[in-house]
Amino acid sequence: MYAIVEDKKVVAVGALSQLFPNVSIPQSIDEKGFAKENGLLEVAVPEFDDFQEKIVPCEPFIKDGKVYSVEVQKMSDEEKTDNVNAHIGFELMSTAWVETDPDMDKKSLAEWKDYRKKISSFKNSKDVSEVTWPKRPLVELEKIMEEDSIA
């Protein structure tokens, strides 16, 4: 996404096709080169802690020479809890296969079960700011490649 800036003010934000609706823009175009040639600035996303903060759409603005169309806001305690619980649910769902993998060695299986138990213990924590995520056990890349050649 890019922005047209005039007199240090953002006047338009969008994809190249939105900013130049009467120009036929080929798919093979060097977008960054086109943007530079036309004086456009790329719209940036500010850094934020996705367990404590959220990004919220806002009127585009310029800060430190960059254009932003979102601002960072602190999450409420309820939003933090919901976010952590969603992450826990995803992590448990995406790692469930390890416990039924017939080729998993006992040491690795024990590491994965311990990891999943620690993750589960965070569910519905009252103070999610105190949650320290455990390190994910390693899975042999060769084994994953054997099972999923697209990976």
Side-chain angles (χ1 to χ4, degrees), residues 5 12 14 19 24 29 31 46 57 63 66 68 73 78 87 93 95-96 99 103 125 134-135 147 150:
V5 177
L19 297 174
S24 178
I29 193 168
E31 278 196 22
K63 182 179 178 184
K66 294 182 180 179
Y68 299 94
Q73 294 180 358
E78 184 179 330
H87 181 75
M93 183 175 56
T95 61
E99 293 196 27
D103 298 326
S125 294
K135 189 172 179 179
E147 294 175 3
I150 297 174

Side-chain angles (χ1 to χ4, degrees), residues 28-116:
S28 62
I29 193 168
D30 171 16
E31 278 196 22
K32 290 186 188 268
F34 181 88
K36 188 175 182 178
E37 288 172 14
N38 289 280
L40 304 176
L41 293 178
E42 195 166 354
V43 176
V45 176
E47 290 187 25
F48 66 103
D49 175 351
D50 59 353
F51 284 111
Q52 302 292 321
E53 301 169 317
K54 61 184 175 181
I55 52 173
V56 178
C58 65
E59 286 296 316
F61 63 96
I62 302 171
K63 182 179 178 184
D64 299 328
K66 294 182 180 179
V67 175
Y68 299 94
S69 62
V70 293
E71 63 185 7
V72 176
Q73 294 180 358
K74 295 210 177 283
M75 284 186 198
S76 68
D77 289 342
E78 184 179 330
E79 288 172 316
K80 289 177 191 177
T81 300
D82 290 346
N83 191 23
V84 167
N85 286 337
H87 181 75
I88 291 166
F90 175 80
E91 193 66 8
L92 291 173
M93 183 175 56
S94 66
T95 61
W97 64 271
V98 299
E99 293 196 27
T100 58
D101 186 341
D103 298 326
M104 183 76 65
D105 63 84
K106 287 182 181 182
K107 182 179 180 246
S108 296
L109 180 59
E111 289 173 2
W112 275 103
K113 283 185 175 184
D114 183 53
Y115 170 77
R116 289 172 48 78

